[in-house]
Amino acid sequence: MTSVVAAAAVVMVLAGLPVVVTGLNHGLFDRAIQRALRQKLGRSIQFSHLEVRFPGLHPTLSVSDLVIGSPPAISPADLLRTPRLWARLQILPLLEGQLRPTDLMLQTPVLHLVRLSHNRNNYRIGAGGPGRFLSKTRSLSIAAGSAQFDDPERQVVLKVRFSHSGDPTVAYPFRVSGDGVDKGSPLTLVAQGAGLNRRPVAKPYPLIARLVDGATLVELDGSSIRPFDFSTLDVQAHVFGPNLADLSYLFNLHTPNSTPYDVTAHVERDGPRIHVTHIRAKLGRSDAAGEILSDHVSGRRNIQLNLRFGTLYLEDARALIEPRPPHAISRSQSGAAPRSRPGPLLTERPLRLDGLKAANMDVALKIGNLAGAAVAARDIQARAQVKDGRMTAGPIAFSLERAGRGRAWLTLDTSRPAARVTLAGSVTGLRIESLSKQMGKSLTGTLDAAVRVEGRGASMKALASAAQGRLAVQLHDGAFTRSKADALAGDLVHAIGQSIGDRDAKTPLQCAVADLVIANGSVRPDRLTIVTAAGVSQGEGSLSIGPQRLALEFHGQPAQRRVLQLNAPVRVVGPIGHPKVQVLMGQVLKREGPKRLLALVVSPIAGLLPTAGRSAPPPNCRALLDQSKHFVGRPSLR
């Protein structure tokens, strides 16, 4: 239209205003105007009638059946169709070849907007765009408009109705509402914006928007650099729904799978750079706060994440590491991990590590309480960095019940198909009875442990089967059920008598030390010693990681010699979760002969019979503990 006015102004000056106006109103210049606009804008311009009037100092322009096409290389669809465009023009810009309407009215316009990729669309005309064209317009009135937006790259189709009030007292005169499809799923949009007229090009554009995608609701209140251009935003956002993964499909963000959430935050976006601050979130039953910075300026996305959880429930944490479901599911269903019957500890399901390969990350995490875990943990602090598919986490520091503490370091390299994992860590001061009430009935004490292990594989089972390393476990300052302690110490007769008498009676546990070597898919004890007041037990055997089976044999040395005493080895064998305990009577009979059967007959009274003196002195627990501390090297147990 700028070219239309420029051509008309030149003719008016050269040939006389009355002749030119008469010629324009009779359509004498229509073809020439349309041809000039096509060459200038690279798109077709058509109209059935153009009329110019001069009721005063401000001429008016009326165009009937206006059609503005799209660049042929982008879309065959017409950009704009309207039965009538009416404008009151400024005379001086008109004589300079510029179209500057003071008032503009569009009647039932129909828009078809097409976006093929970044900066490839059919609606950007000229460097200034519509903002510059309308910057001096006092009144803009659009009645009963409709628009369709197609974005095949993002798989979005949106059909809306829109209008613009010419009343200058209305705070949000631009109104948009409609529905569409995003990646195969329907959504609805309701939005309001400030006036499109009388706005400097660089001035932020106030807007309010409400987007509904299934059970996901997004509410924005703030501004964009251009009307409803979500590539540059400064808004207060409120978002809630069944799964955070849905936002990754809607806004091309790197959001994980999750349980139902409710989040408020301040969002600043400048193209590929997004800064989310003042986050207040409810995630399932967990609460979180923090900030996120996402930068996609280069070819690889860089994410800085600083999150603080007051309480993080294990079920919510498990959902965050699950793979993102398809859009059709994430928009309406929780991403909570399915509750199923307990399966194997180590599965053959491939590890899902695409998230580590998709972006570089720097994560700082604080958790006040981790709820729902076997051991209640608190004051967790962790720092993790991901670069080119390699994650380094540590130190991961945490506290456990009753003054227990832990530290860990973890590296995960996903640059190859078989991921490589290295883990080093330690736990000190954990009261073993805090693991479960059932365990506390038979065993108490303070647990210390340290581990250094590495493995390579595409699944948890493959990683464990290829693991190489060492593990040291210590238990001290506790108590053990007397009958079980007697059995492990080799005093079977007294153990049976004790079990018939006071089953809950306990004996002091001076120490238990396990120094384990992890190699070739199995765990074998380099040292396995249990020292109680009932005696000493030495263990040997293995734990097979792949089939997850246990085969250990304990040989005891009772602390007291008794008149009737049966020293029998004890075997623990079977699946890790449900092993069987066997007394190896065959070895005793072969070694001692049938006379030892008498001990079993009188076992109920064995506890009443006198002792015959002490056995050899037990090993020094302090020495055992000190040796075990250095078994795996740093980090130490203390």
Side-chain angles (χ1 to χ4, degrees):
M1 298 309 297
T2 302
S3 300
V4 173
V5 176
V10 173
V11 175
M12 288 178 187
V13 173
L14 295 178
L17 184 60
V19 175
V20 173
V21 170
T22 301
L24 284 171
N25 293 341
H26 284 81
L28 298 181
F29 304 111
D30 287 358
R31 290 187 178 181
I33 293 172
Q34 293 174 10
R35 185 168 54 252
L37 287 173
R38 185 181 300 111
Q39 294 176 353
K40 176 70 174 179
L41 303 179
R43 62 183 70 211
S44 64
I45 304 290
Q46 299 177 1
F47 50 84
S48 63
H49 183 65
L50 185 148
E51 183 176 308
V52 178
R53 295 184 177 276
F54 282 84
L57 295 178
H58 295 284
T60 63
L61 171 69
S62 178
V63 182
S64 300
D65 302 321
L66 175 64
V67 178
I68 301 178
S70 299
I74 294 180
S75 173
D78 294 324
L79 171 62
L80 170 67
R81 286 177 171 268
T82 178
R84 184 165 183 258
L85 178 150
W86 179 89
R88 179 178 285 112
L89 308 175
Q90 298 181 50
I91 187 66
L92 292 180
L94 184 65
L95 295 176
E96 296 174 355
Q98 300 179 6
L99 185 63
R100 291 289 181 266
T102 58
D103 301 276
L104 181 63
M105 184 274 292
L106 286 172
Q107 185 180 56
T108 60
V110 177
L111 286 169
H112 193 159
L113 310 177
V114 178
R115 178 192 179 276
L116 298 182
S117 62
H118 183 60
N119 285 335
R120 286 197 67 208
N121 57 66
N122 72 333
Y123 44 85
R124 187 172 181 83
I125 304 176
R132 182 177 181 182
F133 174 75
L134 298 172
S135 61
K136 301 299 183 180
T137 302
R138 294 177 303 183
S139 175
L140 172 63
S141 178
I142 302 175
S146 62
Q148 176 171 326
F149 175 70
D150 293 332
D151 189 340
E153 182 187 46
R154 297 174 178 169
Q155 303 177 51
V156 174
V157 177
L158 189 63
K159 297 180 180 180
V160 300
R161 300 166 298 280
F162 67 95
S163 63
H164 195 290
S165 172
D167 186 350
T169 64
V170 177
Y172 292 95
F174 189 32
R175 307 276 176 113
V176 177
S177 64
D179 50 40
V181 175
D182 186 342
K183 299 173 182 64
S185 300
L187 56 81
T188 61
L189 172 68
V190 177
Q192 303 177 44
L196 299 175
N197 54 311
R198 304 191 72 173
R199 303 200 62 79
V201 175
K203 184 177 180 180
Y205 178 76
L207 61 86
I208 300 173
R210 187 174 189 269
L211 177 69
V212 180
D213 179 41
T216 299
L217 173 65
V218 180
E219 296 177 317
L220 305 178
D221 188 348
S223 64
S224 61
I225 195 64
R226 288 182 292 272
F228 295 97
D229 182 354
F230 291 154
S231 65
T232 306
L233 288 173
D234 186 349
V235 298
Q236 187 68 21
H238 175 219
V239 188
F240 69 84
N243 194 330
L244 275 170
D246 195 39
L247 301 184
S248 65
Y249 298 107
L250 289 175
F251 301 108
N252 193 30
L253 300 175
H254 196 78
T255 51
N257 178 76
S258 78
T259 50
Y261 65 94
D262 190 328
V263 180
T264 59
H266 182 244
V267 181
E268 295 177 90
R269 179 172 186 174
D270 185 5
R273 183 182 175 87
I274 302 173
H275 196 190
V276 185
T277 58
H278 301 95
I279 297 174
R280 294 291 182 271
K282 194 73 175 178
L283 192 66
R285 294 190 294 163
S286 307
D287 61 284
E291 62 178 330
I292 303 172
L293 177 61
S294 176
D295 189 339
H296 204 178
V297 175
S298 62
R300 190 175 183 86
R301 187 186 298 272
N302 294 285
I303 299 174
Q304 295 181 27
L305 183 64
N306 187 346
L307 279 183
R308 302 177 299 278
F309 286 89
T311 299
L312 175 62
Y313 285 83
L314 191 61
E315 61 196 54
D316 299 322
R318 285 180 57 200
L320 294 174
I321 63 176
E322 288 289 318
R324 285 184 300 201
H327 182 212
I329 295 177
S330 66
R331 66 193 297 271
S332 58
Q333 296 182 26
S334 169
R339 296 182 179 273
S340 58
R341 295 180 179 178
L345 297 176
L346 302 172
T347 69
E348 296 182 354
R349 186 177 68 178
L351 296 171
R352 306 252 183 194
L353 303 173
D354 293 341
L356 296 180
K357 299 177 182 179
N360 293 336
M361 290 182 279
D362 188 344
V363 181
L365 182 65
K366 292 184 178 181
I367 303 172
N369 292 287
L370 180 62
V375 181
R378 66 184 186 278
D379 301 330
I380 302 171
Q381 297 188 41
R383 179 74 179 271
Q385 293 179 315
V386 178
K387 186 174 182 180
D388 299 327
R390 188 177 189 273
M391 181 184 75
T392 303
I396 304 169
F398 52 92
S399 299
L400 302 170
E401 283 192 357
R402 302 189 185 184
R405 301 183 306 278
R407 292 171 69 84
W409 289 260
L410 174 70
T411 63
L412 175 58
D413 190 349
T414 67
S415 59
R416 297 181 180 181
R420 181 177 180 180
V421 179
T422 303
L423 171 65
S426 65
V427 172
T428 60
L430 173 64
R431 293 300 297 180
I432 192 73
E433 59 268 27
S434 67
L435 295 177
S436 71
K437 292 182 179 180
Q438 188 64 31
M439 180 176 290
K441 293 179 180 180
S442 59
L443 179 64
T444 65
T446 299
L447 175 72
D448 298 336
V451 64
R452 295 181 69 88
V453 65
E454 66 177 39
R456 186 189 299 272
S459 68
M460 287 300 297
K461 188 173 183 178
L463 277 171
S465 298
Q468 305 283 333
R470 292 191 168 192
L471 169 64
V473 181
Q474 302 176 356
L475 189 61
H476 52 87
D477 302 325
F480 195 25
T481 301
R482 181 60 189 262
S483 60
K484 296 179 180 178
D486 284 334
L488 284 177
D491 195 348
L492 183 60
V493 174
H494 199 256
I496 295 175
Q498 190 68 45
S499 64
I500 294 176
D502 187 358
R503 295 184 177 182
D504 296 328
K506 289 185 173 61
T507 190
L509 171 68
Q510 285 140 10
C511 66
V513 176
D515 294 338
L516 308 174
V517 178
I518 305 169
N520 302 320
S522 68
V523 180
R524 296 182 179 275
D526 187 62
R527 178 191 293 113
L528 181 53
T529 303
I530 302 173
V531 182
T532 69
V536 181
S537 182
Q538 303 286 351
E540 59 184 16
S542 67
L543 184 159
S544 298
I545 298 176
Q548 300 174 41
R549 294 187 64 84
L550 189 68
L552 294 176
E553 189 171 308
F554 292 90
H555 296 267
Q557 177 184 327
Q560 299 288 338
R561 297 181 183 273
R562 302 183 186 279
V563 175
L564 294 176
Q565 196 170 62
L566 182 63
N567 192 337
V570 175
R571 177 179 291 171
V572 182
V573 64
I576 294 176
H578 305 282
K580 294 181 179 180
V581 179
Q582 303 171 345
V583 179
L584 302 180
M585 292 299 303
Q587 294 186 19
V588 177
L589 294 176
K590 184 177 180 180
R591 184 179 69 244
E592 304 288 347
K595 63 180 181 178
R596 283 296 181 179
L597 291 176
L598 177 63
L600 292 178
V601 177
V602 298
S603 60
I605 62 171
L608 302 177
L609 295 177
T611 62
R614 293 188 58 85
S615 296
N620 186 306
C621 270
R622 177 51 55 190
L624 286 176
L625 294 175
D626 289 341
Q627 292 172 16
S628 180
K629 289 177 187 178
H630 304 289
F631 180 71
V632 295
R634 299 182 67 181
S636 66
L637 293 175
R638 292 293 185 183

